[in-house]
C-alpha cells in the first residue's frame, strides 16, 4: 500500500483508497466481484456498481471496468454525460468468467479487506488500551442495582482485559453486567464487512450482533473514509446452551463457498459472553480448554475447510457465567485459568426495594414500601424462596397485564400482588399428581 491508512491510531479511521495501488486486495478480487454482481443483476450503472461493492468509482472501480470492457467481458448498453452513469451489461464471455469466479465463491457484496489490515485495525482499537476508573464504571452501571462488593471486583477485572467468571443464582443480572462493562469502554469501532484470507472470504459484519452508529453518534462518519468498513457499537455477543465447538471455528458453506466468522471473532473489540456455562452439549473442561491459547497468546487459530490454520487476533473480554455450582463443573486447576471469579449474589432486602422502586417507575406503577413488605412476608419468607433481582420486573409485569386486562390505571395492591405471585411461582407440593 502506498499510504498509511492507520495514521491516526488514537481515533481509528480507515482512509478511503485513492487508486488501485492503495488497495490491500488484488485486482482479480475486484474483477470477480464486478463480474458476479453484474451477472446477477443483468444490467447495472457503473456508479451503482461501485456503491454496491463499497469502493470509489474514480481511479479504483473505473479502471477495472475499462479493462473488462477491453477484454469483451462488459458492454456499455447506454452512455451518459459522465462515465459513472454508463449502463453496463455482461457479455457471454464475461458470464463464463463470472461463472468460474462463482464456482470459487458465491460471495457478492462489499469488497473485503485483507486479513493483515483487519489485524492492524483490531490492534488500533483494542479494548486493552482503555482504562476504566471508578467514576466511569459507576456511570455505565447507573440504573443497575448491585451489591457494592460486586462492583469493587468488576472494575479491576474489566481493566485486566482478560477473562471473567460470573457465578450465582439465576435472575440477578449476570448478562446485564456484561453489557454494562462494554458500555463502560464506550465509543464505536470500525469493522470490515468482510475479510480476505488466502483468496477466501470471511463475512464478519452481522446485522443481528453488530449495531451500526449514525453520524449524530460519531463524527467520524461525516468524514471521508473507506466504505468497506462499518462503524458499530463495541459488540456484546452472548451465547448460551446452543453453543457448539463447531460454531467457534470458521463456518464454511458448501453452497455459498465463503465463511461466516465465529462468535468470538465477531466480538473482537468488545465482549464475548458464554451464558449458561455447563449446559452446553459438551464437557465444560473441553470448552475451557478451547480458550487457553487465545487467553494466553491473544491469538485464536481458526481452520479453513482446506485444513489450513489461520492466526486471528483475539481481542475480546471473555465472560463466562453460570447458574450452577462451579465445583460441579470444573476442578480448581481449571478455575485458576479464569482470571477473575466474581459471585453475583442475591440482592439484600434494601437493594431489592431499590430495584422494585426502579421497576415501578419504568412501568408507571405507584411504588409502595408496604406492598413490597407484603410480597416478601407473604410469598418469599414462608416458602424459603430467595430474593432475586429479576422478581420486581417480572411481578410488576404481571400486575401490569392484569390492569390492562381490566382497563384500569396501573396500580398496586395486595390482591394484585397475590395474583401475580400465584401466576409466577410454581408450588410443586400442591401440583396435582
Amino acid at each position: 500500500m502506498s499510504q498509511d491508512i492507520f495514521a491516526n491510531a488514537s481515533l481509528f479511521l480507515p482512509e478511503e483508497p485513492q487508486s488501485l495501488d492503495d488497495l490491500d486486495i488484488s485486482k482479480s478480487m475486484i474483477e470477480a466481484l464486478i463480474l458476479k454482481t453484474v451477472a446477477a443483476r443483468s444490467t447495472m450503472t457503473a456508479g451503482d456498481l461501485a456503491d454496491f461493492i463499497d469502493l470509489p468509482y474514480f481511479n479504483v472501480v473505473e479502471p477495472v471496468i475499462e479493462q473488462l470492457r477491453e477484454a469483451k467481458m462488459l458492454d456499455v448498453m447506454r452512455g451518459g454525460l459522465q462515465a459513472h452513469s454508463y449502463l453496463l451489461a455482461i457479455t457471454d464471455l464475461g458470464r463464463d468468467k463470472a461463472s468460474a469466479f462463482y464456482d470459487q465463491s458465491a460471495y457478492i457484496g462489499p469488497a473485503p479487506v485483507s486479513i493483515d489490515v483487519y489485524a492492524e485495525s483490531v490492534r488500533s482499537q483494542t479494548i486493552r488500551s482503555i482504562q476504566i476508573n471508578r467514576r466511569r464504571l459507576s456511570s455505565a452501571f447507573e440504573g443497575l442495582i448491585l451489591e457494592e462488593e460486586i462492583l469493587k471486583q468488576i472494575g479491576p477485572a474489566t481493566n485486566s482485559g482478560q477473562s471473567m467468571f460470573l457465578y450465582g443464582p439465576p435472575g440477578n443480572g449476570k448478562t446485564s453486567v456484561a453489557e454494562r462493562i462494554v458500555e463502560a469502554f464506550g465509543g464505536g469501532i470500525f469493522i470490515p464487512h468482510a475479510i480476505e484470507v488466502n483468496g477466501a472470504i470471511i463475512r464478519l459484519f452481522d446485522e443481528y450482533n453488530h449495531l451500526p452508529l449514525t453520524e449524530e453518534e460519531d463524527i467520524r462518519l461525516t468524514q471521508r473514509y473507506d466504505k468497506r468498513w462499518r462503524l458499530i457499537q463495541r459488540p456484546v455477543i452472548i451465547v448460551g446452551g446452543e453453543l457448539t465447538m463447531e460454531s467457534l471455528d470458521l463456518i464454511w458453506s458448501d453452497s455459498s463457498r465463503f465463511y461466516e466468522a465465529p462468535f468470538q471473532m465477531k466480538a473482537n473489540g468488545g465482549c464475548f459472553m458464554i451464558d449458561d456455562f455447563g449446559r452446553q452439549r459438551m464437557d465444560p473442561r473441553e470448552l475451557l480448554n478451547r480458550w487457553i491459547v487465545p487467553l494466553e497468546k491473544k491469538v485464536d487459530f481458526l481452520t479453513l475447510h482446506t485444513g489450513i490454520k489461520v492466526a486471528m487476533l483475539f481481542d475480546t473480554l471473555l465472560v463466562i457465567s453460570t447458574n450452577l455450582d462451579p465445583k460441579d463443573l470444573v476442578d480448581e486447576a481449571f478455575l485458576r485459568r479464569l482470571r477473575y471469579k466474581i459471585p453475583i449474589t442475591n440482592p439484600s432486602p434494601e437493594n431489592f426495594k431499590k430495584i422494585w422502586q426502579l421497576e415501578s417507575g419504568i412501568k408507571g406503577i405507584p411504588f409502595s414500601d408496604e406492598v413490597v413488605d407484603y410480597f416478601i412476608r407473604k410469598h418469599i419468607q414462608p416458602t424459603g424462596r430467595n430474593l432475586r433481582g429479576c422478581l420486581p420486573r417480572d411481578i410488576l409485569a404481571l400486575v401490569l397485564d392484569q390492569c390492562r386486562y381490566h382497563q384500569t390505571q396501573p396500580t398496586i395492591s395486595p390482591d394484585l400482588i397475590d395474583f401475580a405471585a400465584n401466576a409466577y411461582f410454581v408450588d410443586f407440593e400442591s401440583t396435582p399428581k
Side-chain angles (χ1 to χ4, degrees):
M1 282 183 290
S2 64
Q3 58 180 331
D4 180 9
I5 67 171
F6 301 105
N8 189 353
S10 61
L11 193 59
F12 175 74
L13 182 73
E15 283 192 26
E16 183 180 59
Q18 301 300 309
S19 69
L20 282 171
D21 292 336
D22 293 337
L23 283 179
D24 51 298
I25 56 174
S26 67
K27 184 163 69 68
S28 64
M29 177 71 72
I30 302 172
E31 290 175 351
L33 284 174
I34 288 174
L35 289 175
K36 286 187 292 183
T37 301
V38 178
R41 301 288 186 90
S42 295
T43 60
M44 199 172 190
T45 68
D48 287 344
L49 174 61
D51 290 341
F52 184 78
I53 64 175
D54 282 334
L55 288 173
Y57 174 74
F58 295 106
N59 300 321
V60 178
V61 173
E62 181 184 28
V64 180
I65 289 177
E66 288 305 311
Q67 291 176 21
L68 292 172
R69 286 181 63 192
E70 291 174 6
K72 308 299 183 186
M73 294 186 189
L74 289 179
D75 268 343
V76 174
M77 299 295 292
R78 186 179 70 242
L81 295 177
Q82 296 181 330
H84 63 77
S85 64
Y86 288 172
L87 184 66
L88 302 174
I90 196 163
T91 65
D92 289 341
L93 184 62
R95 196 172 296 277
D96 290 341
K97 186 67 173 178
S99 179
F101 282 132
Y102 194 87
D103 288 341
Q104 297 172 18
S105 172
Y107 176 83
I108 298 176
V113 306
S114 71
I115 187 172
D116 291 337
V117 167
Y118 170 66
E120 188 60 34
S121 76
V122 173
R123 294 188 189 98
S124 297
Q125 302 175 104
T126 177
I127 61 171
R128 295 183 177 89
S129 66
I130 303 172
Q131 293 298 303
I132 307 297
N133 56 33
R134 182 183 179 88
R135 180 191 57 77
R136 192 166 181 172
L137 191 70
S138 297
S139 176
F141 275 76
E142 187 176 355
L144 184 63
I145 299 169
L146 296 170
E147 301 304 303
E148 183 63 26
E149 196 59 35
I150 296 174
L151 285 176
K152 288 180 181 178
Q153 296 178 71
I154 288 175
T158 300
N159 274 334
S160 75
Q162 299 291 324
S163 54
M164 198 180 303
F165 187 67
L166 308 179
Y167 64 96
N172 286 325
K174 290 187 287 294
T175 301
S176 296
V177 165
E179 293 171 339
R180 297 302 181 95
I181 286 172
V182 174
E183 186 178 328
F185 285 121
I189 60 171
F190 275 101
I191 67 168
H193 188 280
I195 300 164
E196 182 271 330
V197 53
N198 291 357
I201 291 179
I202 303 170
R203 186 170 62 188
L204 178 64
F205 178 73
D206 177 350
E207 291 181 351
Y208 178 77
N209 287 301
H210 295 141
L211 185 62
L213 296 176
T214 64
E215 289 184 2
E216 291 73 23
E217 293 171 307
D218 197 308
I219 195 172
R220 284 176 289 177
L221 290 177
T222 64
Q223 305 173 49
R224 296 178 69 91
Y225 66 95
D226 190 338
K227 295 300 191 296
R228 293 178 295 168
W229 299 75
R230 304 291 185 265
L231 184 58
I232 64 167
Q233 286 185 6
R234 288 189 180 271
V236 181
I237 295 184
I238 301 171
V239 295
E242 76 281 4
L243 181 67
T244 63
M245 290 297 285
E246 291 74 20
S247 62
L248 294 175
D249 211 332
L250 292 170
I251 302 166
W252 169 257
S253 169
D254 286 326
S255 58
S256 62
R257 294 176 295 286
F258 63 85
Y259 297 91
E260 186 76 18
F263 292 120
Q264 72 276 15
M265 185 176 167
K266 292 181 179 181
N268 266 342
C271 173
F272 178 47
M273 181 177 188
I274 302 176
D275 208 358
D276 290 328
F277 179 65
R279 301 191 188 277
Q280 288 75 27
R281 289 175 292 176
M282 67 185 86
D283 189 295
R285 292 170 179 81
E286 182 184 8
L287 185 52
L288 282 182
N289 275 332
R290 173 64 180 79
W291 304 112
I292 292 175
V293 172
L295 287 173
E296 292 181 354
K297 305 296 185 183
K298 310 306 178 194
V299 173
D300 195 14
F301 289 95
L302 305 176
T303 309
L304 300 176
H305 76 287
T306 57
I308 297 174
K309 292 282 187 181
V310 178
M312 197 70 64
L313 284 184
F314 183 81
D315 185 65
T316 181
L317 181 68
L318 178 65
V319 177
I320 297 176
S321 77
T322 185
N323 302 329
L324 306 176
D325 189 333
K327 296 194 300 295
D328 297 335
L329 297 175
V330 292
D331 57 31
E332 186 178 348
F334 280 94
L335 283 176
R336 279 202 305 270
R337 298 187 184 277
L338 298 172
R339 178 74 65 91
Y340 284 88
K341 278 75 71 175
I342 303 175
I344 307 299
T345 54
N346 294 325
S348 65
E350 293 76 19
N351 275 343
F352 184 79
K353 282 191 176 183
K354 290 179 182 178
I355 297 171
W356 192 293
Q357 187 171 16
L358 183 67
E359 288 295 332
S360 295
I362 293 172
K363 292 179 169 55
I365 297 175
F367 173 74
S368 166
D369 258 328
E370 291 76 14
V371 168
V372 181
D373 290 337
Y374 172 81
F375 172 75
I376 295 173
R377 188 172 62 252
K378 176 79 177 291
H379 298 285
I380 299 297
Q381 292 173 343
T383 61
R385 297 183 179 112
N386 291 305
L387 296 177
R388 297 274 195 265
C390 65
L391 283 177
R393 178 198 64 201
D394 296 345
I395 293 296
L396 289 174
L398 289 165
V399 168
L400 201 57
D401 290 342
Q402 184 77 333
C403 292
R404 286 171 175 165
Y405 175 72
H406 289 288
Q407 296 184 315
T408 61
Q409 288 295 318
T411 188
I412 197 75
S413 69
D415 288 344
L416 285 170
I417 288 294
D418 290 341
F419 162 80
N422 291 333
Y424 186 78
F425 295 117
V426 176
D427 185 353
F428 290 101
E429 291 186 359
S430 63
T431 302
K433 298 292 190 284

